[in-house]
Amino acid sequence: MAEDKTVVEAAEVPPLAPLKLTNRLAKTPSKTPQYAVKVKDSKGKEVVLGDPRATRACIAIMDMHAVSGGAACHWGGPAAFAEIISAIHGIMFSEKGKAWHEAYNFVNDAGHAENGIYALRANYGYDGMSFEDLKGFRSINSKLTGHGESHLNPEGVFLSNGPLSSSIPQAEGLALADKVADNDRLTFCVASDGASMEGEAKEAFASIPGLAAKGKMNPFVLVVSDNDTKLSGRISDDSFDMKPTFEAMSTLGWNVISVSNGNDIQEVFSAVEDGVKQAKSNPRQPVFIWVKTIKGYGVKATEESSSGGHGFPLKNSEKIVDFVNEIYDGGPPEEIIDWAKTLREQWEQKEESKKSVAPSVGIAPAKKEKVQAGLARAIVQAAKEGYPLFSITADVPGSTGIAAFHKSFPDRFIDVGVAEANMVSVAAGFAKKGFIPVVDTFAQFGITKGNLPLMMAALSQAPVIGIFSHAGFQDAADGASHQATHYLAAVSAIPHTVVVSCSCATEAEALMRQAIYRYAEARERGEDGESVIFFVGREGYPVAWLEEAQYEWGKAQVLNQGKDVAIIACGPLVGKAIQASKKLQEKGLSATVINNPFINRVDVDTIGKAVEESSGLVVTIEDHQLSCGMGAQTAHALSQAGISYRMKSLGIPGVFGRSAYLAEQLYEDHGLTSDHLVQAAKELIG
C-alpha cells in the first residue's frame, strides 16, 4: 500500500464527550458479607471480606441444583478463584462517596468461574440477591446464567464473557476509553492461565503495557489464576509450560506482582491492595498479579484431579453434605449445611420412589449414542487402513469425541492448548506436508476464533477436516456465549469448504469415512481438495433414523415419503421432523421428511423432487439463526433451479440464547418443536 500523503486541514469540532449512558450495574452493597473473614490492610487495619469457604460451599450447592436439573456446571475454576474474587470485591465495595462502578471497572474473563461471583455477591446481598436466588443457577428462568451475560443480567455483568480471553482486550478498551473521557476509574480484569494461551490474550498482553507507556490508559490491574490446569488436564503435561509466558510479562512492560499461595486470603488481599496502589501511582505501567492457585481447592479429590475437577464432580446429591463439610473442614454454617441436607433428602426421596415403580413392559427404547462417536470410529478405522490422519486438538478432545483417536494412536496428536485459531493454522501446515489433519473444538469457538484460519487454509490449498461439537442450542447450560447459533452462516461461504450437519452416529461415521477417502484421492490427484466441517450436537440421539440406512456423499436423505408437505431438517432437529410427520399422519396428512446434512451443497435433485411432489409446500427447521442458515440456503438453491415453492422456516429470529438445563427447554422457548412444525405445515396446506 502506498504512503498516504494527502493533506487535510484540521477541523474545528466541539470538545469530545461520550454519550450520556445509564450504567445499569447495581449499587454498592450497604452491608458486609453475611459470612465473612478478616484480613489486615497495609496499615494494619482490619478489613472484612467475604469468606471464600462460603463462596465454595455455595458454588457446590448451586451447581448441585443445576446438575439435578440435567445441566453441566463448573467447580474447579471458581473454587480456585474464590480468594481473588473476595479480595477484589472487598476493595471495590469499600469505595466511599460514590458507587463502586464509578471507581472501578470489573471484568471477569474467566466465564466458567462466574458462579463464584454470583455466590460471593449473594453473600453481600448485592442487587438484592439472596442464597435462594442461587438455586436457579443456569435454569431458563434465572438471570444467573452459565457464563456472565449482560443482555440478561445488566445489574451484575458489565461485559459478557464466555470464550476465553475475549474480555481481556475489552477491558483494555474500557481503560483506554476512561482515559479519553477523563474518568477517574481503575480497571480490574481477572483471567485464567488457560485464557492466556489464546491469541487475543497475547495481543492484549503486549498492547496494554505498550499503550499505557504512551500515557493512553487509565490504571489497569490484570489478575491471573495460574494452576497449570485446563479442561482436559494439566497444561504443561498436555501441551506446553505457561511459566515462560508469565515470566515474560515484565519484559513486555507489566509491573509483575507474584503470589505464591493464591488460596491464602491474606496474601491475595495484600497483593491486590498493593497492585491497586501501584497502578494508581503509575498508570503508565499496568500491574499483572500472577497468582498461583489450586484448581478445585477445598476438596482433596478435585485438588488432586488432573483436570482440577473442572466440571462439578457429583452426579447426584448423595454426597453433597460430605462435600460441603469438607470445604469447611467439618464446621459449615447452619444455613448452608441445611441447604445441602435438603438436597440430600430430595435425592433419597427420588431413589425411594424409583423402588416403588413397577418395571415397564413393552418395546425397548431406541439405542442412543453421541453423534461424535461415529466421527471418531471413522477416523480410527481410516487410520488403521493407512490414511495419514493426524489430530491437532485444543483442550476439549473428550467433549468432541476425538479422544478415542488419541487413545488408539497416542503418537498421532498434538494439543496446542486453549488456542483454536492456532489449532486450525497448525493443521494447515500439516495439510501442506501431506497429512490429513483433523481439528476439533466446540462449534462456537471453531467458527469465531477459527474462522479466518479456516479461510486461509482453503486459500492456501491446505484443507482440514473439522469436528465442531455442541452446535446450536446443544450447549444449553453454558448460555449464549457458548451457543453457536450462526455456525452454518459463518463458514458456508468459505470457498472450497463443505459444511455438514450430522444428525446421528451412523450418518456421521459414513460421511466422515467418505470425507477422508475423498480428501486423500483429491490430493493425490494433484487437486487442491476441500475442507470439510462436521457440526454435531452434544446430546445422545438414535444411532440411525432408518434401518440399513445408506449415506451418499452430497445427497439428502428421504426418511419418510408423503404428498402434502415436505419437511426439511438437519442436525439435532431431524427427530422433530419425524415426530411432526407422525402427528400430521394422525390428522390425515402425509409429509415427506428430508434429512439435509450438506448445508452449502444443497442436493437440489432430491429436495427439488420432494418439493414438487408436495405441491411446492415446504417447512424447514434448524437450531440456527434464520438468516443464512440451512433453510435460507435451501430456499436460494430451489429458486436458482427454478423450482416453485412456498416455505415456512422455523429457526432463531435474530436473538441470542440463554442458559437452560437442557437444550429441549430452549427448543420449546424458541418454537423449535414438532408441534410448531405441524402448525406451520397446516398453515401452508390451508
Side-chain angles (χ1 to χ4, degrees):
M1 296 177 65
E3 180 182 353
D4 182 4
K5 295 183 178 181
T6 57
V7 177
V8 179
E9 293 185 8
E12 292 187 8
V13 294
L16 179 62
L19 301 173
K20 295 186 182 300
L21 305 180
T22 300
N23 193 322
R24 296 172 64 185
L25 289 167
K27 63 183 180 180
T28 307
S30 59
K31 299 179 181 178
T32 56
Q34 180 177 345
Y35 302 109
V37 294
K38 293 180 179 180
V39 297
K40 296 287 184 68
D41 66 13
S42 59
K43 297 178 180 179
K45 182 181 178 181
E46 279 192 343
V47 177
V48 177
L49 303 177
D51 188 344
R53 296 175 303 171
T55 298
R56 292 190 181 93
C58 288
I59 292 168
I61 297 174
M62 62 199 286
D63 279 5
M64 194 73 262
H65 275 281
V67 168
S68 298
C73 288
H74 296 101
W75 155 255
F81 267 100
E83 283 76 14
I84 294 172
I85 299 301
S86 179
I88 291 174
H89 277 74
I91 289 172
M92 293 193 303
F93 288 171
S94 66
E95 187 67 25
K96 303 298 183 184
K98 55 183 175 181
W100 71 271
H101 52 74
E102 293 176 357
Y104 298 97
N105 292 311
F106 175 73
V107 178
N108 175 34
D109 182 76
H112 57 282
E114 191 76 20
N115 51 351
I117 297 172
Y118 299 149
L120 175 67
R121 290 183 173 181
N123 194 9
Y124 273 97
Y126 175 86
D127 189 28
M129 286 175 59
S130 67
F131 293 121
E132 186 70 22
D133 294 317
L134 300 180
K135 296 178 182 180
F137 174 57
R138 289 198 170 212
S139 76
I140 199 168
N141 298 314
S142 174
K143 68 178 182 179
L144 304 184
T145 52
H147 292 72
E149 293 174 359
S150 57
H151 73 299
L152 296 173
N153 185 14
E155 301 83 6
V157 180
F158 195 40
L159 290 172
S160 298
N161 56 44
L164 292 179
S165 84
S166 294
S167 295
I168 301 174
Q170 288 185 318
E172 176 184 2
L174 292 176
L176 287 164
D178 273 334
K179 180 66 176 180
V180 173
D182 196 27
N183 293 327
D184 181 17
R185 186 184 283 118
L186 178 144
T187 295
F188 275 118
C189 181
V190 294
S192 65
D193 48 355
S196 301
M197 307 180 84
E198 293 275 16
E200 290 168 286
K202 298 294 200 306
E203 294 173 18
F205 287 174
S207 64
I208 290 172
L211 292 169
K214 297 178 72 174
K216 293 183 177 296
M217 290 190 67
N218 263 24
F220 193 96
V221 177
L222 172 64
V223 187
V224 168
S225 171
D226 173 20
N227 41 61
D228 189 31
T229 315
K230 54 191 180 67
L231 189 153
S232 59
R234 302 299 177 190
I235 293 175
S236 55
D237 291 341
D238 291 353
S239 47
F240 54 87
D241 194 347
M242 288 293 292
K243 184 178 179 182
T245 295
F246 298 135
E247 289 177 335
M249 295 294 274
S250 59
T251 303
L252 289 172
W254 292 84
N255 176 2
V256 178
I257 298 174
S258 296
V259 178
S260 60
N261 184 356
N263 298 116
D264 181 292
I265 187 63
Q266 179 64 65
E267 187 174 345
V268 173
F269 178 81
S270 296
V272 174
E273 182 188 30
D274 187 32
V276 170
K277 179 181 178 181
Q278 294 194 42
K280 287 184 175 181
S281 66
N282 182 17
R284 288 178 176 267
Q285 187 177 33
V287 172
F288 171 63
I289 305 180
W290 179 7
V291 187
K292 295 293 293 183
T293 58
I294 297 174
K295 194 169 181 180
Y297 185 80
V299 174
K300 184 179 180 180
T302 54
E303 289 178 15
E304 296 176 349
S305 166
S306 62
S307 69
H310 185 84
F312 193 60
L314 303 182
K315 303 302 181 185
N316 57 54
S317 301
E318 180 182 10
K319 299 179 180 179
I320 188 62
V321 175
D322 296 335
F323 200 89
V324 172
N325 272 320
E326 185 174 352
I327 291 170
Y328 268 95
D329 196 20
E334 184 176 352
E335 178 183 16
I336 291 177
I337 197 62
D338 285 349
W339 189 1
K341 288 178 179 177
T342 298
L343 284 169
R344 162 76 192 198
E345 291 168 1
Q346 291 172 350
W347 173 81
E348 290 174 344
Q349 292 169 5
K350 186 180 294 185
E351 290 299 299
E352 194 63 33
S353 66
K354 289 179 182 178
K355 297 176 183 178
S356 62
V357 177
S360 59
V361 179
I363 301 173
K367 180 182 177 182
K368 290 188 175 183
E369 184 178 38
K370 289 184 179 292
V371 181
Q372 43 266 63
L375 297 174
R377 280 196 296 270
I379 297 169
V380 169
Q381 182 58 39
K384 291 179 179 178
E385 295 171 7
Y387 289 88
L389 288 145
F390 201 93
S391 165
I392 298 91
T393 190
D395 187 37
V396 290
S399 298
T400 62
I402 197 66
F405 178 83
H406 296 175
K407 293 175 181 178
S408 300
F409 309 101
D411 60 343
R412 297 191 183 187
F413 77 93
I414 290 174
D415 188 332
V416 299
V418 187
E420 296 82 7
N422 189 40
M423 171 186 69
V424 178
S425 294
V426 167
F430 270 79
K432 295 296 282 191
K433 293 298 181 180
F435 295 98
I436 304 177
V438 179
V439 299
D440 69 288
T441 185
F442 291 177
Q444 181 72 322
F445 307 149
I447 62 160
T448 51
K449 305 203 174 193
N451 198 276
L452 177 59
L454 284 169
M455 187 275 284
M456 292 304 297
L459 182 61
S460 301
Q461 306 83 49
V464 304
I465 294 177
I467 299 175
F468 292 170
S469 68
H470 298 52
F473 282 142
Q474 286 282 291
D475 197 354
D478 280 328
S481 66
H482 281 50
Q483 291 161 0
T485 62
H486 67 292
Y487 59 108
L488 303 177
V491 293
S492 285
I494 300 176
H496 315 303
T497 302
V498 182
V499 180
V500 183
S501 179
C502 296
S503 63
C504 65
T506 54
E507 176 186 45
E509 182 175 0
L511 296 181
M512 173 61 83
R513 188 166 56 245
Q514 292 176 63
I516 293 169
Y517 298 161
R518 289 171 58 85
Y519 183 114
E521 292 166 0
R523 299 291 279 162
E524 289 182 336
R525 286 196 302 265
E527 299 173 5
D528 294 346
E530 294 181 314
S531 291
V532 183
I533 309 300
F534 289 92
F535 287 107
V536 298
R538 177 182 192 171
E539 300 170 356
Y541 287 88
V543 295
W545 301 108
L546 293 175
E547 291 185 10
E548 300 180 2
Q550 299 297 311
Y551 305 96
E552 184 179 348
W553 188 262
K555 302 297 289 184
Q557 183 187 36
V558 178
L559 300 175
N560 187 69
Q561 194 70 53
K563 61 180 178 59
D564 294 309
V565 66
I567 301 176
I568 305 173
C570 64
L573 296 185
V574 167
K576 305 291 186 190
I578 294 173
Q579 293 171 5
S581 71
K582 294 177 180 178
K583 292 179 179 180
L584 285 168
Q585 188 174 13
E586 293 172 358
K587 299 177 183 299
L589 301 171
S590 64
T592 294
V593 177
I594 297 175
N595 169 27
N596 180 26
F598 291 91
I599 305 303
N600 64 342
R601 299 287 192 275
V602 180
D603 177 11
V604 175
D605 290 341
T606 300
I607 294 175
K609 180 183 178 183
V611 169
E612 290 175 336
E613 292 176 349
S614 302
S615 303
L617 305 182
V618 188
V619 182
T620 67
I621 185 170
E622 57 193 310
D623 61 345
H624 185 279
Q625 299 294 337
L626 287 169
S627 297
C628 307
M630 180 273 291
Q633 294 185 53
T634 300
H636 183 257
L638 292 173
S639 295
Q640 288 286 88
I643 298 172
S644 298
Y645 62 90
R646 287 196 296 129
M647 179 181 289
K648 284 185 175 291
S649 289
L650 304 188
I652 305 167
V655 297
F656 288 109
R658 61 176 303 145
S659 288
Y661 289 160
L662 302 170
E664 188 63 34
Q665 294 169 323
L666 292 169
Y667 295 151
E668 292 175 0
D669 194 47
H670 289 270
L672 303 177
T673 67
S674 59
D675 286 339
H676 283 87
L677 275 174
V678 169
Q679 179 182 342
K682 290 176 66 179
E683 288 174 358
L684 279 175
I685 295 169

